[in-house]
Amino acid sequence: MTRWILSRPETLTEIEQLRLKTILANCPELDALTGHVRSFAHMLTERQGQRLPQWFDAVRQDDLPSLHTLAAGIDRDRDAVIAGLTLPWNSGVVAGHVNRIKILKRQMFGRAGFALLRKRVLLAP
């Protein structure tokens, strides 16, 4: 069922769509949660970060404590989240280099000191 909520409605089979409609009709909280999740996903995929304040307002109007916790966490870094949802740039390249360095460090754990790790990081392709 979680897959149904997280999927785009048009990707579900007719039977899955009917079952999901039935479940959502019988559970208003789940219906509200589904709407908020889909709205956030739409903001994310369509790069519409300017809609985030309205999304916060909509989330706060419903009695969904877990979603309130998520929204509060996002709201603490509002400017960065709006930029991430709006701008075309990302930190993927930096994250890749950090991951590569961590792998090198794990491979050498307990075997060599910082000097060799530094050389491997600087000379590795």
Side-chain angles (χ1 to χ4, degrees):
M1 181 177 75
T2 302
R3 183 184 69 79
W4 297 346
I5 293 171
L6 299 177
S7 297
R8 293 180 184 232
E10 63 272 8
T11 64
L12 299 175
T13 66
E14 285 186 43
I15 293 172
E16 290 173 332
Q17 288 178 9
L18 288 172
R19 288 180 180 163
L20 181 59
K21 283 182 182 178
T22 303
I23 291 168
L24 296 179
N26 291 313
C27 184
E29 292 85 6
L30 191 55
D31 189 31
L33 177 67
T34 302
H36 295 308
V37 168
R38 287 185 177 156
S39 176
F40 191 84
H42 184 72
M43 271 192 299
L44 207 139
T45 57
E46 300 298 321
R47 296 200 178 277
Q48 296 179 343
Q50 69 279 4
R51 289 184 40 219
L52 190 63
Q54 292 87 6
W55 184 82
F56 284 137
D57 293 339
V59 166
R60 288 184 187 113
Q61 291 176 4
D62 289 322
D63 185 24
L64 300 167
S66 296
L67 198 55
H68 290 182
T69 303
L70 173 68
I74 292 171
D75 198 20
R76 273 181 256 153
D77 206 6
R78 180 184 288 226
D79 292 338
V81 174
I82 289 174
L85 290 173
T86 307
L87 302 173
W89 305 292
N90 65 56
S91 61
V93 174
V94 174
H97 286 297
V98 170
N99 191 43
R100 180 180 61 84
I101 292 168
K102 285 181 179 180
I103 289 171
L104 287 172
K105 183 180 171 188
R106 285 186 194 119
Q107 288 173 342
M108 296 177 55
F109 183 76
R111 296 191 184 120
F114 179 74
L116 182 57
L117 174 63
R118 183 176 184 274
K119 284 183 183 179
R120 284 195 67 192
V121 167
L122 294 174
L123 298 175

